[in-house]
Amino acid sequence: MRHSLKIKNFIFALIILSFMSCDKDEELPLSELKGVYTGTFTVEYSEDPIFYDQMELSNEVTIEFENGDFTCSSGENHIPAGGSGKFQIDGNKINFNDEKGWYGDFDGNLILDGDYEIQERKSAITISANKGIGFYEYRLIKQ
């Protein structure tokens, strides 16, 4: 009887350890967002785009975060347009304050500026916003 109880306890301990060792998606503190992230920017327009002849556009992008500052690369035909300035994170929201001056010959929402949602999963982040005429998304991996 006593031997049976020891075996049950041992099996129970193994089960607990196996759950504890499972690979979990650990959330990294977004308030400490820094480094270089590369990936893909995509915009899906919900109505006819004024400046482009396609409803979905995509391009490679790089964003660097450092001490509350950001720099976003610009792609061909302003997809994305880029941007640089300050950013702040509050929960799952991120606000970009672009400090560049821009000409108005393209969709201004292609500039990384304003309020977005941010999600982080291990070393990857997704930054996205629905801005009326389209859905703008950055899918990035930390380098």
Side-chain angles (χ1 to χ4, degrees), residues 53-118:
D53 59 356
Q54 296 175 329
M55 295 295 285
E56 183 175 321
L57 302 165
S58 184
N59 210 346
E60 293 179 5
V61 66
T62 299
I63 303 177
E64 184 173 357
F65 299 96
E66 188 68 40
N67 298 324
D69 295 322
F70 78 94
T71 303
C72 178
S73 66
S74 178
E76 185 178 341
N77 294 325
H78 299 293
I79 301 171
S84 63
K86 304 284 185 194
F87 75 93
Q88 290 184 336
I89 297 174
D90 184 15
N92 66 342
K93 305 286 185 198
I94 185 168
N95 175 270
F96 294 96
N97 183 16
D98 178 67
E99 297 173 345
K100 282 183 152 184
W102 296 92
Y103 294 104
D105 61 344
F106 62 94
D107 172 9
N109 292 319
L110 296 171
I111 301 167
L112 187 55
D113 190 42
D115 295 325
Y116 291 79
E117 290 188 21
I118 185 168

Side-chain angles (χ1 to χ4, degrees), residues 124-140:
I125 59 174
T126 301
I127 298 170
S128 61
N130 189 338
K131 297 199 172 206
I133 66 167
F135 182 73
Y136 301 78
E137 182 175 65
Y138 299 80
R139 291 187 171 269
L140 307 165

